[in-house]
Structure formats: structure tokens, C-alpha cells
Amino acid sequence: MKLKEYQQKRASLDDAYLMGDISLSDYAKDSLNLDFKYNQFMYEDENYKQYKEITSPNRNGLEEVIFVPMKKNSKCRRNGKLIKCPKCGKTHRVYHLAWSALQCLSCSCLVNKYDWQIEKGTHEK
């Protein structure tokens, strides 16, 4: 009974967004509220299982990147490391850390080396 109710509410919410009746922010807010209310039932829904499989980070080759402050012993491996600008938050890939300051390519701001954030490696805490 509850699963059917969840599926109907999910379908009506999706249709309202696709038809342009509600904005993206309202859709996101209502979707989170609906998922929170029917938490145990949404995992039984076949469409939700397929959606989670499609959007799974490991399936698409995407991984969550965690950034930590740059340290004196930070290193880059063969594939390089992502660094994040502290001013604008954009990421760039570097292949060595033999510099004292670097100009961000997106905001053109000159930032000192230890102000940048670097992608967390396997040995960093």
C-alpha cells in the first residue's frame, strides 16, 4: 500500500517538473521530502533501483574527490593531481609541484602554493 502511494506521488512530482509546473528548486526540495518520508519504500521501487544503478559514481567512472590543504610533503604521481583554487573553487590538474605560486586559469588570481587545496591521496590523512 505504502509502496504504491510512494510510486504515485513520485510519478506526479516527476510529471509536474517535466511539464514545467514547478521549478527545479521546488522539485529538488519536494523530492527530498518525499524520499525522506518514504525512505524504506523507495528502495523497493524498480525505477529507483535502475536510477541508482545508472547514476552510480563507480558505473560512470566518476569518483568523489576530497581536497585537503597543500603540505610540504604533498606529491604528484604519474597521472597528476587535481588542485582547487581557494578563490573561485575551480579545479586544475598539475603534474609537478615545483612552483611557489600559480595563477588560476579561471579567475586569473595569483595564489601561493600552500593556499591551494590538493586532491587527497591514498597515504594522506
Side-chain angles (χ1 to χ4, degrees):
M1 182 68 178
K2 290 277 189 178
L3 177 61
K4 246 341 176 191
E5 185 179 329
Y6 169 75
Q7 290 173 337
Q8 290 172 348
K9 288 187 178 184
R10 169 58 65 191
S12 65
L13 183 64
D14 292 344
D15 290 342
Y17 173 67
L18 292 174
M19 294 298 184
D21 296 337
I22 58 174
S23 66
L24 179 60
S25 60
D26 291 337
Y27 173 73
K29 181 181 67 157
D30 293 344
S31 180
L32 285 174
N33 290 339
L34 184 68
D35 290 346
F36 182 72
K37 184 177 179 182
Y38 294 97
N39 190 17
Q40 71 222 26
F41 302 107
M42 70 181 192
Y43 296 112
E44 297 170 9
D45 187 14
E46 281 301 316
N47 293 333
Y48 184 79
K49 288 179 184 176
Q50 291 172 358
Y51 170 76
K52 287 306 284 181
E53 183 182 324
I54 291 170
T55 58
S56 170
N58 296 335
R59 184 178 187 278
N60 295 332
L62 303 174
E63 296 177 9
E64 183 181 1
V65 178
I66 299 170
F67 289 96
V68 295
M70 180 92 63
K71 297 178 188 168
K72 185 178 179 183
N73 60 351
S74 295
K75 297 182 180 193
C76 290
R77 300 291 180 220
R78 176 177 284 191
N79 297 334
K81 286 269 187 152
L82 288 175
I83 57 172
K84 183 163 78 169
C85 177
K87 306 288 184 189
C88 66
K90 299 286 184 176
T91 60
H92 308 286
R93 184 165 295 276
V94 293
Y95 295 93
H96 66 84
L97 298 174
W99 41 270
S100 60
L102 191 65
Q103 185 174 6
C104 179
L105 297 174
S106 58
C107 67
S108 301
C109 186
L110 189 64
V111 181
N112 289 331
K113 179 178 183 176
Y114 295 110
D115 293 337
W116 287 89
Q117 290 188 333
I118 191 166
E119 175 183 6
K120 184 178 179 182
T122 55
H123 301 292
E124 294 170 319
K125 295 180 181 178

